Structures are given as C-alpha cells and as structure tokens.
C-alpha cells in the first residue's frame, strides 16, 4: 500500500518568550527513495509554536499565515530538502 499523505504534529512549547521566534517546523521522517513511495519526501513532521505568541497572533490576524508558513517547512520547503533534490545553487 502506498501512503501519499504527511502526518504533521503541532505543539505549544516555550521557545524564546513573547514576540521573538513565533514557531519552528520541519520534517522528521522521510519516505524511502523509491518512485512509488514519494521519492524521499517528508512523511512525518512537527510544528512547534512559542506558547506566549498564538493569542496575540490570533488577535492581530497573523496566526493563519504563521501556521501556513510552518506547514511549508513540514512539506520540505527550505534549504534542507531543496538541497537534497539539487534545487539550490551557490
């Protein structure tokens, strides 16, 4: 059976206090390097949000944007996966 989804866990943690780092995220488990299994793409990831910040982000309307940004990292957007696929130069 081929599973083509990704499991993303989300958690609130203490990172650096209010209004510094809002969150961090990235892949934790990758698919095998086969054509049928997703060619090394992320299978599991985690998003972590600084506990003091989500209430203020919700109030100012930025929470959805920050969640979406971190989900992009979970999907592999960023230097780690880009370099693995040869998408970075210099």
């Amino acid at each position: 059976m081929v599973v083509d989804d990704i499991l993303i866990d989300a958690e609130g943690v203490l990172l650096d206090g209010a209004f510094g780092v809002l969150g961090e995220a990235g892949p934790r488990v990758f698919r095998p390097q086969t054509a049928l299994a997703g060619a090394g793409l992320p299978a599991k990831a985690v998003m972590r949000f600084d506990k003091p910040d989500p209430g203020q982000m919700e109030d100012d309307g930025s929470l959805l944007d920050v969640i979406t940004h971190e989900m992009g990292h979970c999907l592999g957007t960023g230097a780690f996966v880009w370099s693995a696929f040869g998408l970075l130069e210099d």
Side-chain angles (χ1 to χ4, degrees), residues 3-82:
V3 177
D4 62 358
D5 295 329
I6 183 172
L7 173 66
I8 300 175
D9 290 322
E11 58 189 12
V13 299
L14 291 175
L15 294 175
D16 68 346
F19 313 119
V21 174
L22 303 176
E24 60 185 22
R28 297 299 187 261
V29 176
F30 293 88
R31 299 179 192 286
Q33 291 287 339
T34 66
L36 293 177
L41 294 174
K44 293 182 182 178
V46 65
M47 296 187 301
R48 299 172 46 178
F49 298 96
D50 198 11
K51 281 186 176 184
D53 297 328
Q56 178 62 37
M57 290 187 293
E58 188 172 25
D59 291 346
D60 70 20
S62 65
L63 183 59
L64 182 59
D65 290 337
V66 172
I67 292 171
T68 303
H69 174 96
E70 299 305 337
M71 287 178 80
H73 289 306
C74 290
L75 295 171
T77 302
F80 180 75
V81 173
W82 289 358

